[in-house]
Every structure is written in C-alpha cells, then in structure tokens.
Amino acid sequence: NAGVMQNPRHLVRRRGQEARLRCSPMKGHSHVYWYRQLPEEGLKFMVYLQKENIIDESGMPKERFSAEFPKEGPSILRIQQVVRGDSAAYFCASSPMGLAYEQYFGPGTRLTVT
Amino acid sequence: GENVEQHPSTLSVQEGDSAVIKCTYSDSASNYFPWYKQELGKRPQLIIDIRSNVGEKKDQRIAVTLNKTAKHFSLHITETQPEDSAVYFCAASLNEKLTFGTGTRLTIIP
C-alpha cells in the first residue's frame, strides 16, 4: 500500500526556467493539497484540487504558478520562469474524502533555483 | 481566513524534563487541531490531534489540550528523550483547510 509519492525529490532550475512537480496520491484518494515550505518557516497552503477540478487556489501566487489534477495521472504543480524566491520544499498531501484529519503527506520536492 | 500563532520559536529542554508548545488561532469556527513533528529534510508527521469537541487527548508521553473559549491549544511532551529533538508545527483546520503555525525547534539536551 504505497503512500503519497512525489517526484522529483530534488530539482535544480536556473532562473527563468520552468519547474514541474508531480504528486501521486495514495490509492483511492481523489483529493490533493499542495503546500510550500520556505526555509526555516512553516507550511503554507497553496491549492486544493479534486480530480479535474480546482477547489481552492487561495494560496497560489497570482502569476507563474498553476496546478492541475487530471482524470488520469499525477497532480502537477507548475512554476513558470522560476526566481530565487521560489526555492523551497513543496509538499503535497492526499485525502480520500477531502477531510483535514485524513491528509497524508508526501516526502516533498526540494526546489533550488540558481 | 484563519491565522495561527505558535510560541516559542525555539525551546531547549533537559532530557527527562517536560516541553510545552503553545498555539493560538483566530477563527472560532476551526474544528480540528493537529500537531506535526518534522525532522530535517523529512515530511511532517502527524503525532497527535484533537477535535473541537474534546478538551484533552493523551497518547503515551504526548498530550494536547484545547481551550475553545480562549482559542488556544498546547502540546505537552513529558519525559523528553533525545529523539524528540525536531521542529514541531501546530495547525488549525477551517473548512477542511489546514493553516500551520510557524514552528518550534525543540532541542533535548542530554
């Protein structure tokens, strides 16, 4: 029974490039959350998705960031034209029914922008 | 939206002593309060949680208390051990969305 998978685990991008982060939820989970953790800070909610739908994107920066969770395949967090300030750990969590008490975190993707 | 404050930001405790970390939240509608332990480079791990209809919950050396009137909740770790050293985060859930505190770096001194 595999847990939440994220890949890549580490990603290095130069300023101006695109970063694509993938999250495969646990089997049977149709709800995905993305969080960002800047160095020495707590996790900040970014976006909540169900299959093919964005439910809440109130934590997403207005520009350069987008997320999707297609009918088939992993959820993708996409950052265009990365800047140094995007360097952070990005965690996703999945949930079977979208309830806070049953969110299971993935191992995270550590993005470094050089 | 919800706002969660966490104190202290760092805490050093002698091995065997107790550690207490406190959080306050702003929205009285929040109804679920988990605590996470995060070791360096790892994912947050849920260690204990409490719902708004309960005042206290205990699991071995770890306990959480909730005061809904004052809108604050606390994590208590007794008989601390070196492996308790980590960063601890509180969170509050409003409409199933988690808002995290800024974290407490707990160091256990052998």
Side-chain angles (χ1 to χ4, degrees):
Chain A
N1 184 16
V4 180
M5 311 279 281
Q6 286 187 251
N7 67 82
R9 296 292 309 280
H10 300 274
L11 181 61
V12 179
R13 284 286 177 266
R14 284 198 290 271
R15 277 180 297 169
Q17 291 185 318
E18 180 180 286
R20 280 186 181 238
L21 288 60
R22 287 177 288 279
C23 171
S24 297
M26 288 177 70
K27 188 176 180 182
H29 289 199
S30 58
H31 301 251
V32 166
Y33 306 78
W34 284 94
Y35 296 87
R36 177 165 67 174
Q37 186 175 32
L38 294 169
E40 303 296 320
E41 293 190 16
L43 283 80
K44 293 276 196 311
F45 168 82
M46 298 181 75
V47 62
Y48 163 35
L49 310 105
Q50 256 185 292
K51 286 278 187 183
E52 300 184 277
N53 287 304
I54 296 175
I55 307 301
D56 182 343
E57 57 182 347
S58 58
M60 286 279 268
K62 293 285 185 278
E63 297 176 351
R64 302 187 297 108
F65 285 72
S66 62
E68 62 176 9
F69 189 15
K71 188 176 178 182
E72 301 290 338
S75 175
I76 307 283
L77 179 67
R78 183 181 176 209
I79 312 172
Q80 294 179 289
Q81 299 174 318
V82 296
V83 300
R84 290 239 169 92
D86 296 333
S87 294
Y90 292 82
F91 290 95
C92 77
S94 75
S95 166
M97 297 181 65
L99 300 175
Y101 68 85
E102 51 182 17
Q103 285 190 29
Y104 298 86
F105 281 88
T109 292
R110 276 146 191 88
L111 172 66
T112 302
V113 179
T114 61
Chain B
E2 178 60 278
N3 182 48
V4 176
E5 295 191 358
Q6 183 172 346
H7 301 280
S9 56
T10 60
L11 180 60
S12 293
V13 172
Q14 207 72 34
E15 183 179 352
D17 288 350
S18 296
V20 180
I21 303 170
K22 299 182 179 182
C23 288
T24 60
Y25 60 100
S26 61
D27 198 316
S28 56
S30 288
N31 58 3
Y32 171 67
F33 307 91
W35 285 89
Y36 293 86
K37 176 183 180 182
Q38 187 177 33
E39 295 173 336
L40 189 63
K42 301 284 182 64
R43 76 188 80 189
Q45 282 188 296
L46 178 69
I47 56 171
I48 196 166
D49 56 9
I50 192 166
R51 311 269 185 111
S52 58
N53 59 347
V54 175
E56 184 174 356
K57 184 177 177 181
K58 190 173 180 183
D59 182 4
Q60 299 183 346
R61 296 187 297 110
I62 295 173
V64 57
T65 58
L66 171 65
N67 183 327
K68 281 169 49 180
T69 305
K71 289 187 282 189
H72 67 69
F73 55 114
S74 300
L75 176 71
H76 305 251
I77 306 174
T78 58
E79 301 172 18
T80 53
Q81 300 168 2
E83 52 264 38
D84 294 331
S85 293
V87 179
Y88 291 81
F89 293 97
C90 63
S93 171
L94 178 64
N95 298 325
E96 308 307 328
K97 186 163 85 177
L98 288 173
T99 300
F100 286 80
T102 48
T104 296
R105 182 175 300 279
L106 175 63
T107 302
I108 306 302
I109 305 165

